[in-house]
Amino acid sequence: MGAAVDLTLLTDWLWILGLLGLGVTWLIWEQLRKLPPGNEVMRGLAAQIQSGALAFARRVAVVMGAFVLVAAALLFVVAGYRTATAFVGGALCSLAAAFCGLFAAVRANVRTAEAARYPGHPAALRTAFSGGAVAGLAVASLALLGTGLLYFLGIGRPDVVEEMRFREFAEIVSGFAMGASSIALFARVGGGIFAKATDMGADLVGKAEADIPGDDPRNPATLADLVGDCAGDTAGMGADLFESCAAAVIAAIAVGMTERTLVGYENRMAAVALPLFAVAAGLVASVAGVYLMRVVKPDRPAAALRSVQLASAGLFLLLAFGIVYALGFDLGDEETGRVYHYLGPFVAMLAGTLAGIAVGAVTALFTGPRAARRIAEASAGGPASTVLAGISAGLQSSTPVLLIVCAAVGAAYAASGLYGIAMAAVGMLATVGITMTVHAFGPIADNAGGIVQLGHLGPDARRVTEGLHTAGKETGAVITAFSIAAAALTSVALYAAYASWVGLAGINLVDPVVVIGFLVGGAIPFAVAALTITSVTKAARAVMAEVRRQISGEPGILQGTVAPDSAAAVDVATRHALREMVVPGVLAVGAPVLVGAGLGVEALGGMLAGATVTGVLLATFMANAGSAWDMARQYIDTGVVGGRGGAAHQAAIVGDTIGDPFKDAAGPSMNILIKLMSLVSLALVPWLLSLPVNQGKGAPAREPVLSMLDALVQAVGHAATALLG
Amino acid sequence: MGAAVDLTLLTDWLWILGLLGLGVTWLIWEQLRKLPPGNEVMRGLAAQIQSGALAFARRVAVVMGAFVLVAAALLFVVAGYRTATAFVGGALCSLAAAFCGLFAAVRANVRTAEAARYPGHPAALRTAFSGGAVAGLAVASLALLGTGLLYFLGIGRPDVVEEMRFREFAEIVSGFAMGASSIALFARVGGGIFAKATDMGADLVGKAEADIPGDDPRNPATLADLVGDCAGDTAGMGADLFESCAAAVIAAIAVGMTERTLVGYENRMAAVALPLFAVAAGLVASVAGVYLMRVVKPDRPAAALRSVQLASAGLFLLLAFGIVYALGFDLGDEETGRVYHYLGPFVAMLAGTLAGIAVGAVTALFTGPRAARRIAEASAGGPASTVLAGISAGLQSSTPVLLIVCAAVGAAYAASGLYGIAMAAVGMLATVGITMTVHAFGPIADNAGGIVQLGHLGPDARRVTEGLHTAGKETGAVITAFSIAAAALTSVALYAAYASWVGLAGINLVDPVVVIGFLVGGAIPFAVAALTITSVTKAARAVMAEVRRQISGEPGILQGTVAPDSAAAVDVATRHALREMVVPGVLAVGAPVLVGAGLGVEALGGMLAGATVTGVLLATFMANAGSAWDMARQYIDTGVVGGRGGAAHQAAIVGDTIGDPFKDAAGPSMNILIKLMSLVSLALVPWLLSLPVNQGKGAPAREPVLSMLDALVQAVGHAATALLG
């Protein structure tokens, strides 16, 4: 097929499209920077938030830098310089994605607040959206740039490729994804702990002890709280989605290179090219979506955000159809004689995209107005019934989300086998640019509201930012659920990659060793969720101690004559958030190593399966229960069931407070956990297969696996010879 | 081995030991009945509770009777008269076990209250314990009687057994277990909903609206609340443990008859006999434990209960060692060449017994004084931090519980293969008699406290019953966790039986259809937990409406001149509890049918695995979080952190109210759910294997399975011929 070869020739240069995407991102950033940053008070506030964000970023960068260097050194020894370099590259891209979003958010917030002073929505809405676009397009562009460059450097022009290159490339890409995943762990979970600790710290000491209202500049934790919103929701979600997107591409590439349904050089080239083309198409569609927002004149912000997302998804699907058509797949299973339609990979991507939209719809149902009303009405019976209603809603919502993921997996598998599952994940995540844009909109609107409050910009501006904030919350809940579904689908794809790559004939659930792995895997998300909730409480206590220390040490702070040391509060929260990451991080990396080396690769497969199922269910439960409580409180704020200050409102606040660590720390930590465990397993395959417990387990039919093992054994042998000789 | 044949000859007559056990139970019951039932007021109260219990039992019996008849008719058509008869038998045994406990409890309560009037613990402690013993020994005796009679009627004297009999027996035992399981669903989950609905209904209307204190006789729901304690904790737990015990025996028998490690007629006879002998030994050990309680003079009730349990476990292990030694196993895997030690089955039982004790110790750690103090201290920060601390403790506790189950599975498997896993479950559950005795002690002490309060028996008696109540709560939390671990181990054993019986070469976790099965399976417990929590709320609302109706319709009730219609309140709660069982019941039975028939037996295997892992984790989380909140509230009651009436106490009450449906309804429902799903799957194996989707999937090496299929196909053929001709 001539067309196919022509298109795969372009794969080498897709990273340039990533660079172009970064260029567009820079353009939007420059336009954003030129918008009026408000009066002196506002600029002062913004400067403080920015310096807080910088302090957070700097400390994270230092700690992560040290971690990445040590991990890279270890990888260098175990897996060679290629994997180690890719690991550093993945970590850098992820860090860049996270920080782009953070820095854009802390500049867009004050400009949104300024725009909110002028009547009519569009200006404020578009400013916040532009800030989100910087975060979103940075994530999408970096995902394409990173994976595209890996392809370019790892495989090179296809006409000079040797078969061997595929294997080297597989090592490299899993290193890249692991680097991204490590950063995501810190940015998302650490960011979440930071955000909720400063939130609780500011509220509890401020309102309860020092008798100052919320969002008061005299409270040393107020600015930290605003920084936290950006750190958790922008940097954290950016790193999470970047990782999911990169991991989905990598799973597709790994399956594409090892799966037996993809026979022949041309098919493998097309299979490896397609995920990169899909991400490129998603980037183009996202840029189009961002510019579409400038044209539409929306009355309802939430509806505008949703329609822009849907438009991007539609454009992406059009492009994806063309790409799959042009690549001309010819897929079939030689063993079973099954032949797939040449558009199968497109159907798989379609299933992924639709699943993402369906998960959003389900979430809107369980956290939307009806759920909010039900929980608000339950709140009339006191905090216990608020909590029970929210928990029930959360638990209920997790079943349909999982069923949707199952449906996508089933459809994708039917369309093109294991490769289809990986492509479904790619299809769901290709439009990550617009998704992240819409998500980053939320914390910017939230921050703008804080600045409007702190800067006394009046009720009109307040109403504008509150409208944006509500829209941001609605879409935020939906995208949080989307990120879970994406992590789930990516994990299943990574799982398929693991299975395909290990080349096991099967992971037998009748074997008690596999069952033990499965049960242990299932327990890990519960342990990590418990740890994360405890971590938030601990970090919040540290922030509260710092606030008390400042207030009691300097009476001028409460009188408003001395500015509080906000940077110190940020620093305390950052240090604690990072410290609390150690145990979950060790668990996520250590458990696969222990189980894989101790019980074997089949038990490790069982463990990944167990962790995925409980991780996804817990994540959905916690995220949606948290969002539902949040919405219920907001609903009561509008004056129903007794309104603000009533007993039901008090009860709803209890639900909301419980929901905060649920939806912003413990829930999202599951996303990272299940992906990181899968990636570590994937990266360790060659090492694991070399251990006595796994001797002879790689299926002989899968030549690349054994060659990798051979290569590793040879490398170790060479190293030993070099050392001893 | 001569000794082996001698012992297996006795297997036929083990059911007589079950009858003897019932005789001992009757003796204790008669002794209990002769104890003084207190003054007229107390007798009047007791009579009301008894008539409430009778009303509950009667309605349950009618509804369940109708259900059992319909289900038996269906089974008759699908699986023949043997399975249908066994189903009815299992249902009757389970119902008897549940009601024995209930009726003993509602007689022991008033006698315990009367005994509490006299100084010194022992009398009250022993009276409550005797009531528990009736419940406990009834469960253990019926388990032995039921399974023993099945063996006697199903297999007959071993010297006249033909090989074919094994297969018929397998059909029969799964029918029996399914009957027991159906009743357990209603008794445990329905009982839990009843108990919590009356509890909440009584509290919310009484205290908040009618301004009467708790446990006031004017409240129409007060007596329903006392009935509920017995219904949920005694009848429900009795049916739950009866089912676990019967199902463990049945799993061991099923694996014993089909597993390839058990080669030869004598080994199979020994393998089928051992679980029955073990249950007999457990019954003997439990009776000894019950009488031991009359000898020891305990100062601390909780310690006395624990030491009696440990003594019974020790005696059981001694007897079990002798039995395994005498049976003289000779186990080995012809395929892998692996040979097991002849004491392997004993080691497996030891692993199960130790796992039960370890789970108790872990639970005591997470719900004991230290956890209570931590949550109590968190309560100082308001209800949200109480809830978060309890959720964190519950989530944390589920990991070690699962790891203990894994360790038991691993040890048992190493000791004697799949058969060992089933025997571990038997080992854990053999001393069910003493376990249930100790558990039933709790609600009796609780009820006695209520009667002491309602009958104004003074502070001394109150102190005595409060001491017993606290001891009952502590051991109750431990045994609830034990029941979860037992359900988990039983499910794994049933899973092994399923796998061995279906004779699949493997349930391949790499196959996406299996992955879909386990994802769907994992979601079901989340859905059922949400349903159960909602059910409690709904039923509580109905009880509240009934209480309001009575109070507003007859002013004499609040004035104390007219007795409230307690029976009506019981009836409302019973009807709602039964109605709420329909959806979970349909889900538990329907899901395996749908998945097994739609996606095939491998996907069904994946589903069972998924449901087991999330079910066990959710159950432990909910049960232990609930117990921890309960303990924290009690700890604050003692006067710390502000004591009764303080802000922390208010917060702790919120936690306790959330914990009630967690630990007594939603958590326990998981036990039943995972066992019922496994049993339905097991019973449907012949039917499932006859479907086109599963054609050719039974491994040809496992002759019994295919013969069963043949028999079924022949039976259907005969029936069709008879109908058409």
Side-chain angles (χ1 to χ4, degrees):
Chain A
M1 284 185 208
V5 175
D6 284 344
L7 208 52
T8 54
L9 272 172
L10 292 175
T11 324
D12 256 6
W13 309 106
L14 282 176
W15 61 271
I16 294 176
L17 213 57
L19 272 188
L20 284 177
L22 282 181
V24 173
T25 313
W26 182 79
L27 267 180
I28 298 173
W29 161 265
E30 279 299 308
Q31 286 169 348
L32 180 71
R33 261 188 4 120
K34 281 179 196 130
L35 290 176
N39 60 34
E40 201 172 326
V41 178
M42 289 161 70
R43 286 203 305 274
L45 287 168
Q48 278 187 283
I49 298 175
Q50 283 158 27
S51 77
L54 202 65
F56 170 78
R58 202 178 291 136
R59 188 175 278 277
V60 169
V62 168
V63 174
M64 290 314 303
F67 168 80
V68 165
L69 285 183
V70 172
L74 274 173
L75 276 176
F76 177 73
V77 175
V78 176
Y81 78 95
R82 282 196 205 88
T83 312
T85 316
F87 178 84
V88 175
L92 286 180
C93 280
S94 178
L95 215 53
F99 287 169
C100 272
L102 179 59
F103 293 142
V106 296
R107 272 161 189 85
N109 54 7
V110 64
R111 289 163 176 85
T112 304
E114 171 67 14
R117 297 171 72 181
Y118 305 98
H121 276 167
L125 172 65
R126 281 179 194 159
T127 308
F129 190 80
S130 291
V134 174
L137 295 183
V139 167
S141 306
L142 282 164
L144 181 58
L145 180 64
T147 50
L149 265 182
L150 280 180
Y151 182 89
F152 177 65
L153 300 173
I155 299 210
R157 297 266 315 263
D159 49 339
V160 292
V161 155
E162 309 149 46
E163 185 77 1
M164 180 63 196
R165 284 280 179 102
F166 280 130
R167 276 164 248 149
E168 291 170 6
F169 188 49
E171 286 179 44
I172 295 168
V173 288
S174 66
F176 182 84
M178 231 168 45
S181 197
S182 311
I183 298 293
L185 178 74
F186 285 78
R188 181 82 148 120
V189 191
I193 293 174
F194 178 95
K196 293 307 130 185
T198 50
D199 192 9
M200 289 167 75
D203 269 14
L204 289 175
V205 178
K207 287 185 197 162
E209 299 177 18
D211 200 28
I212 46 179
D215 278 357
D216 191 292
R218 288 171 295 170
N219 188 330
T222 295
L223 278 151
D225 184 13
L226 291 174
V227 173
D229 287 338
C230 294
D233 264 351
T234 315
M237 183 63 104
D240 185 355
L241 289 178
F242 173 82
E243 187 215 350
S244 278
C245 186
V249 170
I250 279 156
I253 289 174
V255 176
M257 287 189 303
T258 52
E259 190 44 22
R260 64 159 192 263
T261 48
L262 300 153
V263 179
Y265 177 79
E266 281 184 7
N267 265 318
R268 286 206 190 278
M269 281 314 297
V272 173
L274 180 58
L276 290 168
F277 272 100
V279 171
L283 175 61
V284 171
S286 297
V287 170
V290 166
Y291 280 94
L292 183 66
M293 191 68 172
R294 307 203 168 178
V295 185
V296 290
K297 272 202 200 295
D299 295 327
R300 289 196 50 235
L305 294 173
R306 209 161 17 240
S307 56
V308 165
Q309 270 187 288
L310 288 177
S312 288
L315 178 57
F316 161 70
L317 286 175
L318 271 180
L319 294 172
F321 180 88
I323 292 164
V324 172
Y325 183 82
L327 282 172
F329 282 96
D330 180 18
L331 307 179
D333 191 331
E334 282 188 338
E335 222 170 85
T336 63
R338 161 129 209 201
V339 177
Y340 297 102
H341 193 273
Y342 74 101
L343 284 177
F346 169 72
V347 175
M349 283 194 279
L350 178 67
T353 309
L354 291 181
I357 294 169
V359 164
V362 164
T363 309
L365 204 70
F366 281 97
T367 65
R370 269 187 56 196
R373 201 175 58 233
R374 206 168 46 238
I375 296 174
E377 280 160 8
S379 299
S385 48
T386 310
V387 174
L388 284 174
I391 285 178
S392 184
L395 287 172
Q396 248 174 328
S397 72
S398 48
T399 311
V401 168
L402 207 65
L403 291 181
I404 291 168
V405 172
C406 284
V409 168
Y413 181 67
S416 48
L418 283 188
Y419 178 68
I421 295 176
M423 283 316 297
V426 172
M428 196 178 214
L429 282 153
T431 50
V432 65
I434 196 75
T435 309
M436 184 61 207
T437 299
V438 171
H439 188 80
F441 172 91
I444 293 171
D446 191 4
N447 254 254
I451 293 171
V452 164
Q453 168 101 343
L454 290 169
H456 307 292
L457 296 187
D460 282 351
R462 212 177 153 74
R463 215 166 299 125
V464 170
T465 54
E466 265 175 19
L468 297 182
H469 187 189
T470 307
K473 281 210 172 180
E474 273 179 46
T475 50
V478 166
I479 292 174
T480 301
F482 171 87
S483 76
I484 296 166
L489 205 50
T490 303
S491 287
V492 176
L494 287 170
Y495 186 76
Y498 173 78
S500 172
W501 205 344
V502 171
L504 288 171
I507 295 171
N508 191 352
L509 256 181
V510 176
D511 181 354
V513 176
V514 175
V515 172
I516 290 173
F518 183 74
L519 292 176
V520 171
I524 290 174
F526 275 70
V528 170
L531 281 172
T532 314
I533 291 175
T534 317
S535 295
V536 171
T537 319
K538 271 199 228 165
R541 227 175 275 143
V543 172
M544 283 157 70
E546 169 64 20
V547 171
R548 281 198 207 99
R549 188 191 65 76
Q550 289 195 23
I551 288 179
S552 61
E554 172 56 80
I557 290 180
L558 279 189
Q559 290 152 13
T561 53
V562 178
D565 186 359
S566 301
V570 169
D571 200 53
V572 166
T574 313
R575 264 189 292 127
H576 275 82
L578 287 173
R579 189 184 304 158
E580 294 295 329
M581 287 295 84
V582 176
V583 181
V586 168
L587 211 57
V589 176
V593 175
L594 278 182
V595 169
L599 298 176
V601 283
E602 296 98 339
L604 178 54
M607 180 182 199
L608 296 179
T612 301
V613 69
T614 59
V616 173
L617 286 164
L618 264 189
T620 320
F621 155 50
M622 293 188 149
N624 286 352
S627 299
W629 280 316
D630 193 1
M631 293 296 172
R633 191 189 51 71
Q634 284 208 322
Y635 178 69
I636 294 180
D637 277 354
T638 64
V640 291
V641 212
R644 242 179 236 247
H649 191 240
Q650 291 299 322
I653 286 175
V654 171
D656 196 19
T657 312
I658 296 163
D660 267 352
F662 264 42
K663 75 176 195 303
D664 294 322
S669 69
M670 300 292 113
N671 290 4
I672 314 292
L673 176 72
I674 57 178
K675 284 183 290 180
L676 186 53
M677 282 174 69
S678 300
L679 281 168
V680 169
S681 306
L682 201 58
L684 290 181
V685 164
W687 176 70
L688 287 175
L689 286 178
S690 73
L691 298 176
V693 68
N694 295 316
Q695 215 56 268
K697 278 183 185 166
R702 311 285 165 90
E703 171 259 343
V705 176
L706 284 188
S707 304
M708 280 180 65
L709 177 59
D710 292 344
L712 191 84
V713 170
Q714 279 171 22
V716 172
H718 283 315
T721 318
L723 277 173
L724 295 173
Chain B
M1 285 188 210
V5 175
D6 284 346
L7 207 52
T8 55
L9 272 172
L10 292 175
T11 323
D12 257 7
W13 308 105
L14 283 176
W15 60 272
I16 294 177
L17 213 58
L19 273 189
L20 285 177
L22 282 182
V24 174
T25 313
W26 183 76
L27 266 180
I28 297 173
W29 161 265
E30 280 299 307
Q31 287 170 349
L32 180 70
R33 258 186 8 118
K34 282 181 196 126
L35 291 176
N39 60 32
E40 204 173 325
V41 177
M42 289 160 72
R43 287 202 303 275
L45 287 167
Q48 277 188 284
I49 298 176
Q50 282 158 28
S51 76
L54 203 65
F56 170 78
R58 204 179 289 138
R59 188 175 278 279
V60 169
V62 168
V63 174
M64 289 315 302
F67 167 80
V68 165
L69 285 183
V70 172
L74 275 174
L75 276 175
F76 178 71
V77 175
V78 176
Y81 77 95
R82 282 197 205 87
T83 312
T85 316
F87 178 84
V88 175
L92 286 180
C93 281
S94 178
L95 215 53
F99 286 169
C100 272
L102 178 58
F103 293 143
V106 295
R107 273 160 189 85
N109 54 7
V110 64
R111 290 163 175 85
T112 304
E114 171 68 14
R117 296 170 73 182
Y118 304 97
H121 275 168
L125 172 65
R126 281 179 194 159
T127 308
F129 189 80
S130 290
V134 174
L137 296 183
V139 167
S141 304
L142 283 164
L144 182 56
L145 180 65
T147 50
L149 265 181
L150 281 180
Y151 182 87
F152 177 64
L153 300 173
I155 299 209
R157 300 258 322 256
D159 50 339
V160 294
V161 156
E162 307 149 48
E163 185 76 3
M164 180 64 194
R165 286 276 181 104
F166 280 131
R167 275 164 248 148
E168 293 170 6
F169 188 52
E171 284 179 45
I172 295 168
V173 290
S174 68
F176 183 85
M178 229 168 47
S181 197
S182 309
I183 298 294
L185 177 75
F186 284 78
R188 181 81 148 122
V189 190
I193 292 175
F194 179 96
K196 293 307 131 187
T198 51
D199 192 11
M200 289 167 75
D203 269 14
L204 290 176
V205 177
K207 288 186 197 160
E209 298 178 17
D211 200 27
I212 45 180
D215 278 356
D216 190 291
R218 289 170 295 171
N219 189 330
T222 295
L223 279 152
D225 185 12
L226 291 175
V227 172
D229 286 339
C230 294
D233 263 352
T234 315
M237 182 64 102
D240 185 355
L241 288 179
F242 173 82
E243 187 214 349
S244 278
C245 185
V249 169
I250 279 156
I253 290 175
V255 176
M257 288 189 302
T258 51
E259 189 44 23
R260 64 155 192 268
T261 48
L262 299 154
V263 179
Y265 177 78
E266 283 183 7
N267 265 318
R268 283 204 193 279
M269 281 314 297
V272 172
L274 180 58
L276 290 168
F277 273 99
V279 172
L283 176 60
V284 170
S286 297
V287 170
V290 166
Y291 281 94
L292 183 66
M293 191 68 171
R294 306 202 171 181
V295 186
V296 291
K297 273 201 200 297
D299 294 328
R300 287 195 53 234
L305 294 173
R306 214 170 2 249
S307 57
V308 165
Q309 270 186 288
L310 288 177
S312 288
L315 178 57
F316 161 71
L317 286 175
L318 270 180
L319 293 171
F321 181 87
I323 293 164
V324 172
Y325 183 81
L327 283 172
F329 282 96
D330 179 20
L331 308 178
D333 191 330
E334 283 188 339
E335 220 170 87
T336 63
R338 163 130 209 202
V339 177
Y340 297 103
H341 194 272
Y342 74 102
L343 284 178
F346 169 73
V347 175
M349 283 194 278
L350 179 67
T353 308
L354 292 181
I357 295 169
V359 164
V362 164
T363 308
L365 203 70
F366 280 97
T367 65
R370 268 187 59 197
R373 202 176 58 233
R374 205 169 46 239
I375 296 174
E377 280 161 7
S379 298
S385 49
T386 310
V387 174
L388 284 174
I391 285 178
S392 184
L395 287 172
Q396 246 172 329
S397 72
S398 48
T399 311
V401 168
L402 207 65
L403 291 181
I404 290 167
V405 172
C406 285
V409 169
Y413 181 68
S416 48
L418 282 188
Y419 179 68
I421 295 176
M423 284 316 297
V426 172
M428 196 179 216
L429 283 153
T431 50
V432 64
I434 196 74
T435 310
M436 184 61 207
T437 299
V438 172
H439 188 79
F441 173 91
I444 293 172
D446 191 4
N447 254 254
I451 292 172
V452 164
Q453 168 101 342
L454 291 169
H456 306 291
L457 297 188
D460 281 352
R462 215 180 150 71
R463 213 166 301 124
V464 171
T465 54
E466 266 176 14
L468 296 183
H469 187 189
T470 307
K473 280 210 171 179
E474 270 179 48
T475 51
V478 166
I479 293 175
T480 301
F482 171 87
S483 76
I484 297 166
L489 205 50
T490 303
S491 288
V492 175
L494 288 170
Y495 187 77
Y498 173 81
S500 172
W501 207 344
V502 172
L504 289 171
I507 295 171
N508 191 351
L509 262 179
V510 176
D511 181 354
V513 176
V514 175
V515 171
I516 289 173
F518 89 74
L519 290 176
V520 171
I524 291 176
F526 275 70
V528 170
L531 281 172
T532 313
I533 292 174
T534 317
S535 295
V536 171
T537 319
K538 271 200 229 166
R541 228 176 274 144
V543 172
M544 284 159 70
E546 169 64 21
V547 171
R548 280 197 207 102
R549 187 191 65 77
Q550 290 194 22
I551 288 178
S552 61
E554 173 56 80
I557 291 179
L558 278 188
Q559 291 153 12
T561 53
V562 178
D565 186 359
S566 300
V570 169
D571 200 53
V572 165
T574 313
R575 265 188 293 128
H576 274 83
L578 288 172
R579 190 184 302 158
E580 294 296 330
M581 287 296 82
V582 176
V583 180
V586 168
L587 211 58
V589 176
V593 175
L594 279 181
V595 169
L599 298 176
V601 283
E602 297 96 339
L604 178 54
M607 181 184 199
L608 295 180
T612 301
V613 69
T614 59
V616 173
L617 287 164
L618 264 189
T620 320
F621 156 51
M622 292 188 151
N624 286 351
S627 300
W629 280 316
D630 194 0
M631 295 294 173
R633 189 190 51 72
Q634 284 207 321
Y635 178 69
I636 295 180
D637 276 353
T638 65
V640 292
V641 211
R644 242 181 236 246
H649 191 239
Q650 291 299 322
I653 286 176
V654 171
D656 196 19
T657 312
I658 297 164
D660 266 352
F662 264 42
K663 76 176 193 305
D664 293 322
S669 70
M670 301 292 112
N671 291 3
I672 314 290
L673 176 72
I674 57 178
K675 283 183 291 179
L676 187 54
M677 283 175 67
S678 300
L679 281 168
V680 169
S681 307
L682 201 58
L684 291 181
V685 164
W687 176 69
L688 287 174
L689 287 178
S690 73
L691 298 175
V693 68
N694 295 315
Q695 216 55 269
K697 278 184 183 166
R702 312 283 163 94
E703 172 260 342
V705 176
L706 284 188
S707 304
M708 280 181 67
L709 177 59
D710 291 345
L712 191 85
V713 169
Q714 279 171 23
V716 171
H718 284 314
T721 317
L723 278 173
L724 296 173

